[in-house]
Amino acid sequence: VTTQTSPRRGRPIGAPGDLLANNRSTRGRVSQHTRRGGVLDSVAPGSPAARAGIKAGDIITTVNGHRLRDVVDFQFYAADALVDLGVLRGDKPGVETITILRDTAQDIGLAFQDPTFSPIRECNNHCPFCFIDQLPAEMRTSLYIRDDDYRYSFLYGNFVTLTNLNKRDWVRLAEQKLSPLYVSVHSTDHELRSILLGNSKVPNILDQLDRLAELGIRTHTQIVVCPGLNDGEALEKTIRDLTDRHPNVVSVGVVPVGLTRTPEEILDSPAAACSRILPSARNLNLRQFRTEEATEVIALVESFQRRLRRALGKSVVYASDEFFLLAKTEVPDAAIYDGFPQYENGIGMVRDFLDDWSTRRAGCAPDLRNRKPTVITGKMFAQSLSSTIDEWASWCGADVQVVSLENSFFGPRVTVAGLLTGRDILSAADQFRGDLIVLPAFMLDKTGQRLVDSVTPAELESELGRPVSFAGTMTELTSAVATR
Ligand code: SF4
């Protein structure tokens, strides 16, 4: 099974649980951490660390006298040419000090098993739209972790709410200047944000963003918009408050709420005891966007973009691809995305897909006349994909079948391809007539090893009796089909 990734997707952003795949984790708890330091996963052959005799499985406890809490500490304190490492080894008592002298341009060569050496920081919120409350059982266990850890935000671009920062965190942020951070704002109206986060004790987000700016820390922000709650005037105020803070607020992503189940459905279900949703969420009337509402959000974002592009030469605020698909409107040109600062948040992926195809089809077509792939997608992108796939088939000659699947696992409200599960694929297997199955690359976790319901690509291949590839662009599709 080949996993194709586009260069832009190389940035490791996403659920931290994906990076904790080696841990035994249960709902909200991660084990196998050591408070003594960080366990090494590997040591790069020939690196300064390897030459100093450091090995996988060793535990790094200190760097230049500083106790290590996580990889961020390691990066911060090990930046010098002369590095003293405190090392614990299974076969030796006590901590050994190993000194490494290296060229600072050269990587020291250590990879840790986990980015944090103590359990990941979880959120203290009760968002009525919390994705985790909507998850069915039997998903990847790491998906049940309510990550709200600013260190993962710094390392991998995970969005955090900043509601759980304590004094020590602020001291650390001031010292290490962890920038940029990715912040879920939702609304700059304090009361409304409290409702959206289900937390009456949320700190004032604008004060927090300003404080980060004073520390030299920039932020990428997102607004998860719930129709009837924080859209309209509330959204306008939020966008204005955030874009007024540019360049410290680098970008503002506007994303529609995703609902597999409403709070009412969750609270009425037998598993409600496990839910964190507050009973008051029942009255919020949470629902998904309608076409005309999505159009209004796009119009609002575009009015800000026009003003900001005139004043600053950049958009700063961006509507997610899902809004354009909901509104059945064309996505903007690539220039509007200013280098795609929130690509991994689903902002600009469709434009990237279309532009990739424009470039690819202008090039030499491979002869794929004897290839019969089945390409699978979710309902939301099916129409746009089908017309591009038709062009592609005429271009290269492949006998392609496109199958758009309903999400039977999360329910028909979920139409994005990335949340299709292994079980959705397997239950539709008798529809597939291709000799190669190509799935959306976004179905895979960040390690490329599992789908959202823990099914592996190898299990899919075995059950389907055919090779399975993953592709996110037409270039990747072409290469997947050509190499089979
Ligand atoms: S959506 Fe809200 S409740 Fe759920 S994990 Fe994120 S911050 Fe916590």
Side-chain angles (χ1 to χ4, degrees), residues 70-79 154-155:
D70 44 47
V71 166
V72 179
D73 272 348
F74 181 80
Q75 290 176 356
F76 189 74
Y77 295 121
F154 170 68
L155 288 168

Side-chain angles (χ1 to χ4, degrees), residues 122-133 144-148 159-161 163 184 186 196-198 276:
E122 293 202 61
C123 86
N124 54 3
N125 304 314
H126 306 263
C127 305
F129 49 79
C130 180
F131 180 74
I132 293 162
D133 271 316
Y144 296 105
I145 298 172
R146 289 172 204 267
D147 148 44
D148 204 17
F159 280 94
V160 291
T161 62
T163 55
S184 285
H186 307 332
L196 291 165
L197 294 181
R276 272 214 209 166

Side-chain angles (χ1 to χ4, degrees), residues 6 22 71 109 148 156 176-177 184 226 240 263 303 312 320 327 340 366 411-412 414 452:
S6 76
N22 295 330
V71 166
D148 204 17
Y156 305 109
Q176 298 185 340
K177 306 211 181 301
S184 285
C226 308
R240 187 177 315 108
S303 72
L312 306 170
S320 79
F340 301 91
V414 175
V452 76

Side-chain angles (χ1 to χ4, degrees), residues 129 185-189 192-193 196 222-239 254-257 286 289 297 300:
F129 49 79
V185 172
H186 307 332
S187 174
T188 53
D189 178 287
L192 185 51
R193 186 166 193 257
L196 291 165
Q222 75 163 351
I223 306 166
V224 172
V225 192
C226 308
L229 274 179
N230 59 336
D231 56 351
E233 283 177 23
L235 179 60
E236 189 173 345
K237 171 181 159 37
T238 303
I239 296 176
V254 181
V255 180
V257 67
L286 264 192
F289 267 91
V297 170
L300 179 64

